[in-house]
Amino acid sequence: MSTLSCIKRDLVHHGRLAVAALVLFAGCGSSDGDDTRSYLERTLAQQFVSETSQLVTLQTYRTEDPQSEQLVVENLTRSRDYLMGLAQEFNRGQSTLKLEPFEWRRAGPAQTQWVFGFRLGSGPKKVAILAHLDTVPPGNADWRPFEPRVEARDYRGAAQPFLVGRGAADDKGPAVLALIVMRALANRYDGTNALDGLTVELIFDTSEETDFSTAYYFQEVGVPDFGIVFDAVWTVRAEKGIERPIFTVPLGPAPSNGIFIEAFNSAPGATNQIPDTVTARINGNDEAALDRLAANVANLYQQYGFDDPLYRRAPLEVSRDAKAVVLTTKVLGAQHGSVPDENRANGASPVVSLANFLAHLVDDATLAPNGVGRMLQFMAWGWGTTVFGEKHPDLLERHDQVFEQGNGTTYALTRVTTSPQDVALRLDIRYALGHHGVAWDGKSEGQLPGTSVFPDAFEQLVNRFQQDRPGQAVTVTTVNAASPDVRDPQSPRFQRISGAYERAVGAPMPLAAIGGGTDAKGQVNLVAAGPLFTLAFGPPINYHGLNEGAPIEDLQLSARILYQIMLDEIANKTTR
């Protein structure tokens, strides 16, 4: 491809984002041949897809299965060995500056606390790049999550090649890019003293989706002087707090007459992932009523009026299992628990759709009341189809000057499970400053001290439900997983990133206040930045969802930005 064709292509995708990148890295199909292309460009073009694909084939997600941890650790070990092999192969061509492997590991209460990676240099000042190799569960296997392949998808106004597979975007693709950047730095500075006094460290977390191993690692060895968490968007100036409540209702005895919801279960998965499917099983001693329901329920579902007439209902399938009627809803759109608003706008939640509909059938006495029905009534009463807490704004709705209206506290109803004892609802809540017990002073950086106000808010919520809708008691327990983290975009570290970004892409650096939690949370020396240029986590990227795909050209552009950031840190290591 000629350089002119390359410029035209990238301008379609990135507008001004591509211009300076092509000036700085004039290797996008240079007519002078591959010999004149930079090491970074050659490696991005020739090795990114194949190296990421090797990692994607390895299943590194955790579940509640007792055997899960062993399998995850085995596959993470294979991932480590593969990456170590890439480093060893690279080092054979180096004279003085080589990638030095390191590893830190210990047994945790529930899972292995483990990070590993590579270092360049050995000076006292430390600059780091962080990525992670664990993923969320794949959901159903229909989309072949561990068979990586490249396919064209419409993205940001044009077709772009995507690498498809679990972890391609989050965060195995970015992890490989980070290793490519490290090799490019070593290649550039081999045989020089440019890194004297400095250590550049690439850290791979193995439990970012569950327990954040890097937090334990930093407690023991200290936090880098500066670092980029390469697992987000350009560029994160604030992360919401995270709350994880569990609401429960006793299942109680089965109704003696009529038909009732025997079980309501979301597909297995993480709380921070909107499930692929939800299944409700309806049973009872009235077989004629079950037959009528099976014949009519699809029409009833389509005719049911949700609290918003424009609400997009999840697809419903009806089947029979012996006499029982089985209802299954399927997800559409974004699945990351941090963006239920995006799923609400452009997709459909199988939990919300089926819960609201079945609560209605309990309300109108089509279904006999029991513990499952009571829980679904609570879900419909408490949230309906809303995601910002609009049904009880005094308790649940908050936004502020950082997490503005339309980006305030969000509620993703992600997991419902029925056991012989009770039915339980789990929420993934990403909350704004007003839901924290300690107010932000408007200037301090980092995580807010203290905990959230949700224990009191939830107690008021369930009491209000009991008064409005008397019946079986709803109980709640909650865990404050993380407090909000706010940064100063005018701080020196943000200005350094902004400067590198503008030199690399020729456009001002965007800022984002996000719901997702990253390894930067609570570590003011670290900034979550890249590799994505959009907060749209639904199709075609499908962050945490089915058909996850990494936009290859965008990720390669992000590697160029990261490379520029590291060049600046090395050039100015004595003054920062």
Side-chain angles (χ1 to χ4, degrees):
M1 179 183 292
S2 70
T3 302
L4 179 59
S5 298
C6 180
I7 291 173
K8 288 181 178 178
R9 180 200 66 197
D10 281 353
L11 285 176
V12 169
H13 291 308
H14 306 299
R16 288 193 297 157
L17 290 178
V19 176
L22 289 165
V23 173
L24 283 170
F25 302 100
C28 188
S30 170
S31 59
D32 295 331
D34 283 351
D35 288 345
T36 64
R37 297 172 69 179
S38 71
Y39 177 90
L40 178 68
E41 289 301 312
R42 289 199 309 272
T43 311
L44 288 175
Q46 297 171 8
Q47 295 174 226
F48 167 66
V49 169
S50 62
E51 291 178 3
T52 303
S53 295
Q54 289 292 324
L55 296 180
V56 168
T57 63
L58 298 170
Q59 301 179 25
T60 55
Y61 62 91
R62 289 175 167 88
T63 70
E64 296 179 358
D65 188 313
Q67 304 303 314
S68 170
E69 184 65 14
Q70 179 181 347
L71 177 62
V72 168
V73 170
E74 288 174 357
N75 282 330
L76 286 167
T77 300
R78 293 186 179 96
S79 302
R80 178 203 61 190
D81 293 346
Y82 174 70
L83 296 170
M84 295 293 177
L86 294 178
Q88 290 172 2
E89 180 181 1
F90 170 80
N91 284 341
R92 284 195 285 271
Q94 294 291 101
S95 58
T96 62
L97 187 58
K98 300 186 178 185
L99 295 169
E100 300 294 339
F102 75 92
E103 189 164 5
W104 177 91
R105 181 169 174 165
R106 70 185 187 191
Q111 57 191 246
T112 304
Q113 296 168 357
W114 181 21
V115 304
F116 61 87
F118 303 97
R119 296 183 177 118
L120 291 173
S122 58
K125 186 167 186 176
K126 185 180 290 186
V127 173
I129 306 169
L130 294 87
H132 67 90
L133 298 174
D134 62 316
T135 72
V136 296
N140 71 61
D142 296 346
W143 66 284
R144 298 180 290 131
F146 305 109
E147 300 175 28
R149 65 265 183 205
V150 175
E151 62 183 45
R153 293 182 175 181
D154 290 334
Y155 178 60
R156 303 211 296 147
Q160 182 176 155
F162 273 63
L163 178 60
V164 179
R166 176 55 87 227
D170 180 28
D171 191 44
K172 294 179 178 182
V176 167
L177 292 176
L179 181 56
I180 289 174
V181 167
M182 289 286 283
R183 282 176 280 179
L185 293 171
N187 175 267
R188 179 179 182 125
Y189 293 114
D190 191 31
T192 76
N193 62 358
L195 268 71
D196 286 358
L198 183 68
T199 299
V200 181
E201 187 168 85
L202 171 57
I203 302 170
F204 295 122
D205 195 339
T206 63
S207 62
E208 191 272 350
E209 298 291 358
T210 53
D211 197 36
F212 291 101
S213 286
T214 50
Y216 304 109
Y217 172 64
F218 291 148
Q219 287 175 3
E220 193 163 300
V221 306
V223 182
D225 297 285
F226 173 79
I228 297 293
V229 177
F230 206 46
D231 179 30
V233 298
W234 298 100
T235 297
V236 179
R237 61 81 35 109
E239 297 184 23
K240 296 176 186 177
I242 303 175
E243 190 82 12
R244 294 281 167 74
I246 304 175
F247 296 89
T248 57
V249 175
L251 187 61
S256 56
N257 294 303
I259 60 175
F260 60 93
I261 309 166
E262 188 173 59
F264 187 103
N265 290 295
S266 54
T271 302
N272 64 357
Q273 181 186 40
I274 296 172
D276 306 342
T277 60
V278 171
T279 300
R281 183 182 176 89
I282 300 172
N283 216 332
N285 59 10
D286 188 337
E287 294 192 28
L290 288 168
D291 291 341
R292 286 194 299 274
L293 181 69
N296 297 320
V297 70
N299 286 333
L300 292 173
Y301 179 70
Q302 290 303 318
Q303 294 167 8
Y304 170 62
F306 288 91
D307 55 15
D308 178 356
L310 299 179
Y311 176 75
R312 183 184 295 102
R313 66 201 72 211
L316 173 71
E317 293 182 357
V318 183
S319 61
R320 299 297 292 268
D321 180 12
K323 66 177 183 177
V325 179
V326 180
L327 307 179
T328 302
T329 46
K330 296 184 177 182
V331 73
L332 297 174
Q335 287 183 254
H336 200 303
S338 70
V339 287
D341 48 315
E342 187 177 339
N343 177 273
R344 176 71 168 74
N346 299 302
S349 165
V351 178
V352 171
S353 293
L354 193 54
N356 278 262
F357 170 64
L358 290 180
H360 163 70
L361 295 187
V362 177
D363 289 343
D364 73 5
T366 300
L367 300 175
N370 69 339
V372 181
R374 178 72 169 167
M375 175 58 79
L376 303 187
Q377 288 173 317
F378 172 68
M379 293 163 64
W381 172 91
W383 290 274
T385 67
T386 67
V387 297
F388 291 111
E390 296 97 319
K391 290 181 77 71
H392 303 277
D394 59 322
L395 297 177
L396 301 181
E397 190 173 9
R398 298 289 186 276
H399 61 270
D400 49 69
Q401 71 271 39
V402 175
F403 305 105
E404 298 175 344
Q405 188 165 15
N407 187 31
T409 300
T410 59
Y411 300 85
L413 284 65
T414 58
R415 299 290 156 185
V416 184
T417 53
T418 306
S419 76
Q421 293 75 39
D422 58 35
V423 57
L425 163 68
R426 288 170 169 81
L427 274 72
D428 185 3
I429 298 175
R430 308 302 172 109
Y431 70 88
L433 301 177
H435 273 127
H436 200 65
V438 179
W440 181 48
D441 63 11
K443 57 184 179 181
S444 297
E445 288 195 284
Q447 279 188 279
L448 274 62
T451 189
S452 76
V453 300
F454 281 112
D456 180 63
F458 292 150
E459 196 64 32
Q460 292 186 58
L461 187 71
V462 296
N463 288 340
R464 186 179 295 177
F465 177 62
Q466 198 69 26
Q467 293 170 5
D468 288 355
R469 305 285 296 272
Q472 291 167 287
V474 178
T475 59
V476 59
T477 61
T478 190
V479 173
N480 184 230
S483 62
D485 187 324
V486 185
R487 306 300 177 85
D488 177 10
Q490 302 304 315
S491 69
R493 70 181 65 85
F494 266 81
Q495 291 304 301
R496 282 147 55 187
I497 298 168
S498 178
Y501 183 101
E502 291 201 33
R503 284 192 295 281
V505 303
M509 183 182 74
L511 295 171
I514 68 170
T518 74
D519 271 318
K521 189 180 286 287
Q523 309 291 352
V524 294
N525 291 355
L526 309 181
V527 177
L532 297 177
F533 296 91
T534 175
L535 285 168
F537 281 2
I541 294 174
N542 298 317
Y543 219 85
H544 278 202
L546 304 176
N547 292 304
E548 176 186 345
I552 293 174
E553 294 174 7
D554 276 33
L555 264 63
Q556 290 174 333
L557 179 56
S558 284
R560 299 177 186 119
I561 302 168
L562 182 64
Y563 182 63
Q564 184 63 56
I565 291 170
M566 293 297 116
L567 292 180
D568 289 353
E569 293 301 312
I570 293 170
N572 298 284
K573 63 181 184 292
T574 60
T575 59
R576 293 177 175 173

